């Protein structure tokens, strides 16, 4: 069983930045591909970014490409999402996710979820 704990959410003005962190435990971190999803009020949860087990390959949803960067530190069992140039439409609960298929960079059905962290971007 893998436990994922997110941190770093908050309130920010448009064009600002936030960095989300997700710490993993309960499994060998470098056997997992990691990702971030988000869910805005009244909308379905959507994929945001994914990274393979060694961090060499990443994938982004089109609306965040060029603004968000996913990275990981396997020594710290942590994955990050650096979010720059934030827009009000980025407002959502952001979820960390993991899959035991280590090469996956675009997750569709993760094996594990974090509890979520709220990101609110004001205009």
């Amino acid at each position: 069983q893998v436990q994922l704990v997110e941190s770093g959410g908050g309130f920010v003005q448009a064009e600002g930045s936030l960095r989300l962190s997700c710490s993993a435990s309960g499994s060998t971190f470098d056997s997992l591909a990691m990702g971030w999803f988000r869910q805005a009020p009244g909308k379905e949860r959507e994929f945001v970014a994914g990274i393979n087990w060694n961090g060499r390959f990443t994938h982004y949803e089109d609306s965040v490409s060029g603004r968000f960067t996913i990275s990981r530190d396997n020594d710290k069992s942590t994955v990050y999402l650096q979010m720059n140039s934030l827009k009000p439409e980025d407002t959502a609960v952001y979820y960390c996710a993991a899959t035991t298929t280590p090469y996956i960079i675009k997750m569709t059905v993760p094996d594990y979820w974090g509890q979520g962290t709220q990101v609110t971007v004001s205009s």
Side-chain angles (χ1 to χ4, degrees), residues 47 54 71 81 84 87 95 118:
F47 171 82
N54 65 3
S71 62
L81 185 67
N84 298 329
K87 304 176 181 181
Y95 296 89
Q118 176 71 45

Side-chain angles (χ1 to χ4, degrees), residues 38 63-69 82-87 90:
R38 66 185 179 186
S63 68
V64 308
S65 183
R67 299 188 298 122
F68 290 10
T69 302
Q82 178 67 45
M83 305 185 294
N84 298 329
S85 302
L86 282 160
K87 304 176 181 181
D90 294 318

Side-chain angles (χ1 to χ4, degrees), residues 68-112:
F68 290 10
T69 302
I70 188 170
S71 62
R72 64 190 293 159
D73 184 336
N74 285 355
D75 290 336
K76 296 181 178 179
S77 298
T78 300
V79 63
Y80 306 96
L81 185 67
Q82 178 67 45
M83 305 185 294
N84 298 329
S85 302
L86 282 160
K87 304 176 181 181
E89 52 263 43
D90 294 318
T91 295
V93 177
Y94 283 71
Y95 296 89
C96 178
T99 177
T100 56
T101 307
Y103 53 82
I104 292 290
I105 59 173
K106 185 178 181 181
M107 293 183 195
T108 53
V109 185
D111 297 307
Y112 302 100

